[in-house]
Amino acid sequence: MSKISWRQILPFALVAFFVVGSLSNIIAPGSIYQEYLKWGYPHWFHFVTGSLELTAAILLSRAPSRLLGAALGCTVMLAALATVIIHGEYRHAVPPLVAAILSLVVGWISWRKRLTVSA
């Protein structure tokens, strides 16, 4: 029986997070759409966010592009974190903070793997 490590599971947990997030933002039920407007973003910006999250998920799903996916995912989550903090919605800060940290971990693992392969 093979043992699956957290280093193998973590990228796919992030893929799932970003897929769910992207679909929520692309479909944007009324509450999400209204939040974007309240934060001062244009009416179409939820499509941009959703597309970036979906791109991050796709990049994270394959080892060769995982570092880029982690960087994009972390960037999107840091932007989300900044948005909710600027608007004083601190309880909404936890998911993007956790996703950004996990993206950093996946990026670090991918970076280290690339260094050992090229050495």
Side-chain angles (χ1 to χ4, degrees):
M1 185 166 145
S2 69
K3 185 175 178 183
I4 299 174
S5 80
W6 64 272
R7 290 179 180 165
Q8 295 168 308
I9 294 172
L10 185 56
F12 294 103
L14 274 174
V15 167
F17 174 85
F18 283 118
V19 166
V20 169
S22 71
L23 293 176
S24 297
N25 281 308
I26 290 170
I27 295 169
S31 61
I32 291 176
Y33 180 77
Q34 290 303 317
E35 283 184 331
Y36 276 91
L37 295 178
K38 178 179 71 174
W39 294 328
Y41 290 110
H43 70 281
W44 46 263
F45 198 74
H46 63 97
F47 292 118
V48 173
T49 303
S51 298
L52 289 171
E53 288 176 328
L54 186 57
T55 302
I58 292 167
L59 292 169
L60 281 163
S61 69
R62 299 194 63 240
S65 59
R66 194 161 287 152
L67 180 59
L68 184 58
L72 178 59
C74 186
T75 302
V76 171
M77 290 299 101
L78 289 175
L81 184 62
T83 296
V84 295
I85 287 174
I86 287 169
H87 292 279
E89 299 179 19
Y90 304 111
R91 65 185 176 97
H92 291 284
V94 175
L97 177 62
V98 170
I101 291 169
L102 294 178
S103 293
L104 286 171
V105 170
V106 168
W108 176 256
I109 292 168
S110 298
W111 177 261
R112 298 289 295 168
K113 190 176 279 189
R114 283 187 181 201
L115 290 178
T116 59
V117 169
S118 66

